[in-house]
Amino acid sequence: MSPDAGADAAFSMDLSADVREMRGWVHEFAAEKIRPAAAEWDEREETPWPVLEEAAKIGLYSLDFFATQWLEPSGLGIPVAFEELFWGDAGIGLSLAGSGLAAVSVASNGTPEQVGEWLPQMFGAPGEVKLGAFCSSEPDAGSDVSAIRTRAVYDEAADEWTLNGTKTWVTNGGIADVHVVVASVEPELKARGQASFIVPPGTPGLAMGQKFRKHGIRASHTAEVVLDNVRVPGRCLVGGKDKLDERLARVREGGKGGEQAAMRTFEASRPSVAAMAVGVARAALEYASEYAGHRVQFGHPIGQNQAVAFMLADMQASVDSARLLTWRAAWMARQGRRFSHAEGSMSKLVAGETAVRVTEQAIQILGGNGYTRDFPVERWHRDAKIFTIFEGTSEIQRMLIGRAVTGLDVR
């Protein structure tokens, strides 16, 4: 899509009637189904299958819902939905949204046939909930995507690819029905020699490795994925072999190979991840504000003290600023406008760091109560930290923004 595609679609803060109705519907589910279950599933550190099933029953966890919001003309459907889900709880929210990254990787880079075949299998249906997983990071390749060692070797006679390697920090890793794996086809070309592969359900050789016990987002399953001679049909190469061969030929000749598939997936997802962080931050802000209005010390509500009121003022300004950057980036992406100043990275950087800061300030306002598990702000603070780490650390976002601002190869 060209930089000017959709240039006539003006940015507006006035959400459409459909998006407003959807926001109320998702918020109701978050308040009635997610929040009451949040503490239990955080303690259990397990995928909240009953909540996913409830969401599937009403169409909230479905390909149709995600596709409708992803294609919403203003680009604000997904950010608005994710803010409400994560306002409910980040761990359960990520369980509901976790299949989205795998879906985006196929929808953004795959053929129409691949989209039609595999995306439905990442969500399933009521009574048969399914999951997708996007496998990029490795033990020695986190922020440095070019260091990926997982290999994909093509067997032309059988028209099959064989995958070998270990992936880590995979949301839904090993329990997903469909895994999308980033692998190196030509290691000497580093990131430009990589491609993504769909691993169908039940494929021999794919197994879950270590399941991680995490600081936060504990209701979301995170694990290693081990690939031991995993053979997938040629049609499972995302985008198809002709497209891959053309790209690799250009790279070998010294030309540009286009943006690497994993990086395209991360860039497309950054405003969505930013919206998740905004939801967590907003939850903490609202809770702390209400607490400050009712908690009485020295004969008056603590919110009457400038120290607390000024803290809340900064929290409110930060949350609103993060949302504005998120909406701008999401709108630009939907209109096909290039992130010429790394607007996607800006949204994730500011929203992620806002979530960490605002949840910490919420604990401070609640004092000792905020430090206990009897109140939700300590959980929100644990959850918030991930937004400065996954899908590109804050340091990586600053590097990308720095490159866009200076025009230099900042490292």
Side-chain angles (χ1 to χ4, degrees):
M1 194 175 288
S2 70
D4 297 322
D8 293 334
F11 177 77
S12 173
M13 294 289 292
D14 185 17
L15 298 175
S16 70
D18 287 344
V19 173
R20 290 198 302 272
E21 181 181 1
M22 178 273 295
R23 179 175 61 184
W25 178 61
V26 176
H27 181 81
E28 181 179 8
F29 183 85
E32 295 181 0
K33 300 296 184 181
I34 294 178
R35 279 215 171 171
E40 174 190 353
W41 291 99
D42 176 72
E43 292 289 344
R44 292 176 64 165
E45 298 191 55
E46 296 175 359
T47 299
W49 292 106
V51 182
L52 266 65
E53 184 59 44
E54 288 293 323
K57 287 178 182 177
I58 65 170
L60 177 55
Y61 184 78
S62 68
L63 175 58
D64 180 67
F65 175 76
F66 277 81
T68 298
Q69 301 313 320
W70 187 262
L71 298 174
E72 194 277 325
S74 71
L76 302 183
I78 285 290
V80 167
F82 281 7
E83 179 177 335
E84 299 306 323
L85 288 175
F86 283 70
W87 171 89
D89 179 68
I92 295 177
L94 193 56
S95 287
L96 289 164
S99 297
L101 196 58
V104 168
S105 69
V106 176
S108 299
N109 308 302
T111 65
E113 293 77 15
Q114 289 172 334
V115 171
E117 180 177 4
W118 298 111
L119 264 63
Q121 297 189 55
M122 297 180 187
F123 293 91
E128 194 180 4
V129 170
K130 296 183 178 181
L131 302 174
F134 183 70
C135 312
S136 177
S137 294
E138 297 183 1
D140 295 319
S143 296
D144 184 7
V145 177
S146 67
I148 283 176
R149 294 181 180 176
T150 296
R151 284 296 314 274
V153 178
Y154 185 57
D155 181 343
E156 187 170 0
D159 187 26
E160 288 184 334
W161 292 87
T162 300
L163 308 178
N164 281 285
T166 300
K167 295 295 183 177
T168 194
W169 310 121
V170 182
T171 298
N172 298 332
I175 66 171
D177 297 271
V178 179
H179 291 75
V180 180
V181 177
V182 180
S184 178
V185 177
E186 294 199 17
E188 64 276 12
L189 299 180
K190 296 186 177 180
R192 295 185 298 171
Q194 295 170 2
S196 296
F197 299 85
I198 299 162
V199 181
T203 300
L206 185 148
M208 185 177 78
Q210 176 187 4
K211 178 186 175 182
F212 295 104
R213 301 186 64 195
K214 305 188 299 295
H215 177 65
I217 55 166
R218 301 199 309 192
S220 172
H221 176 95
T222 310
E224 290 181 328
V225 172
V226 179
L227 303 147
D228 183 12
N229 288 323
V230 173
R231 299 181 71 87
V232 298
R235 63 185 175 84
C236 289
L237 167 61
V238 177
K241 193 165 188 304
D242 290 344
K243 185 177 178 181
L244 173 65
D245 289 342
E246 291 173 7
R247 176 165 63 85
L248 295 178
R250 287 197 304 272
V251 172
R252 292 190 204 98
E253 293 170 2
K256 293 184 177 180
E259 195 174 12
Q260 198 271 339
M263 297 312 297
R264 278 202 301 274
T265 300
F266 289 135
E267 186 66 14
S269 71
R270 279 178 185 138
S272 302
V273 175
M276 299 173 184
V278 172
V280 175
R282 189 186 109 209
L285 166 63
E286 291 176 357
Y287 198 95
S289 297
E290 182 177 358
Y291 184 92
H294 293 94
R295 172 68 168 171
V296 175
Q297 291 288 279
F298 303 104
H300 59 263
I302 62 172
Q304 196 171 325
N305 298 323
Q306 281 190 0
V308 175
F310 285 6
M311 197 182 304
L312 288 167
D314 287 342
M315 292 161 72
Q316 183 72 66
S318 295
V319 171
D320 285 4
S321 298
R323 184 184 296 109
L324 285 169
L325 285 172
T326 299
W327 284 18
R328 179 184 68 167
W331 173 82
M332 289 179 67
R334 184 67 184 94
Q335 308 311 316
R337 300 196 177 196
R338 290 197 182 100
F339 290 157
S340 56
H341 291 88
E343 287 85 354
S345 291
M346 284 188 199
S347 69
K348 183 182 181 297
L349 170 67
V350 173
E353 300 209 339
T354 292
V356 172
R357 183 172 62 254
V358 166
T359 53
E360 181 179 15
Q361 290 170 316
I363 291 175
Q364 191 68 25
I365 290 171
L366 269 69
N369 286 334
Y371 200 65
T372 71
R373 293 191 180 183
D374 294 330
F375 293 79
V377 291
E378 67 83 26
R379 184 177 72 251
W380 294 336
H381 185 51
R382 287 188 285 109
D383 292 340
K385 185 57 188 172
I386 194 63
F387 296 106
T388 67
I389 300 172
F390 77 168
E391 310 262 346
T393 64
S394 288
E395 291 72 28
I396 290 294
Q397 307 309 326
R398 285 189 171 92
M399 182 181 71
L400 296 173
I401 297 166
R403 288 174 179 173
V405 170
T406 65
L408 301 174
D409 186 18
V410 179
R411 295 182 179 274

